[in-house]
Amino acid sequence: QVQLVESGGGLVQPGGSLRLSCAASGSGFSLYVMGWYRQAPGKQREMVAVITGGGQTDYPNSVEGRFTISRDNAKSEIYLQMNSLKPEDTAVYYCNARHFVSGENYWGQGTQVTVSS
């Protein structure tokens, strides 16, 4: 029902910034809790940001103050503004959609973010 396509990943130097985008297809976008997750080699996938249809957000301590998630319900898109990037932020970043009522869960294909000098 929902297809998710991420974009905006790439190579950036420590201290730099990147803006990730996720375009969602399908209807009822405002009823999905959206999120960004990341997975580095040899590590478990972790949540880095979530946002409800009403705009409430949550972040882990590792990115609090550096990352900002936002959504545009008219465009069915979410974004992740990443500032003050660190080498430990290097990972594949995945877009996630979870329906608020049914719990249906969808994932994008991922986009690589590499922070290195």
Side-chain angles (χ1 to χ4, degrees), residues 24-67:
S25 66
S27 61
F29 179 76
S30 64
L31 294 179
Y32 285 85
V33 178
M34 303 296 297
W36 290 97
Y37 294 71
R38 68 186 182 188
Q39 188 165 24
K43 293 187 176 181
Q44 195 171 18
R45 185 175 297 184
E46 65 174 343
M47 185 272 289
V48 297
V50 295
I51 184 166
T52 69
Q56 294 177 313
T57 60
D58 284 296
Y59 307 90
N61 290 337
S62 58
V63 308
E64 183 75 48
R66 299 188 298 120
F67 291 8

Side-chain angles (χ1 to χ4, degrees), residues 28-108:
F29 179 76
S30 64
L31 294 179
Y32 285 85
V33 178
M34 303 296 297
W36 290 97
Y37 294 71
R38 68 186 182 188
Q39 188 165 24
K43 293 187 176 181
Q44 195 171 18
R45 185 175 297 184
E46 65 174 343
M47 185 272 289
V48 297
V50 295
I51 184 166
T52 69
Q56 294 177 313
T57 60
D58 284 296
Y59 307 90
N61 290 337
S62 58
V63 308
E64 183 75 48
R66 299 188 298 120
F67 291 8
T68 303
I69 188 172
S70 60
R71 67 191 294 161
D72 186 336
N73 288 339
K75 293 183 176 180
S76 297
E77 294 183 348
I78 68 165
Y79 313 94
L80 185 67
Q81 180 65 47
M82 309 165 67
N83 299 326
S84 301
L85 283 163
K86 305 174 181 179
E88 49 263 48
D89 295 319
T90 296
V92 177
Y93 283 70
Y94 297 90
C95 181
N96 172 260
R98 177 172 55 82
H99 197 275
F100 180 75
V101 177
S102 72
E104 294 179 26
N105 206 266
Y106 302 90
W107 294 94

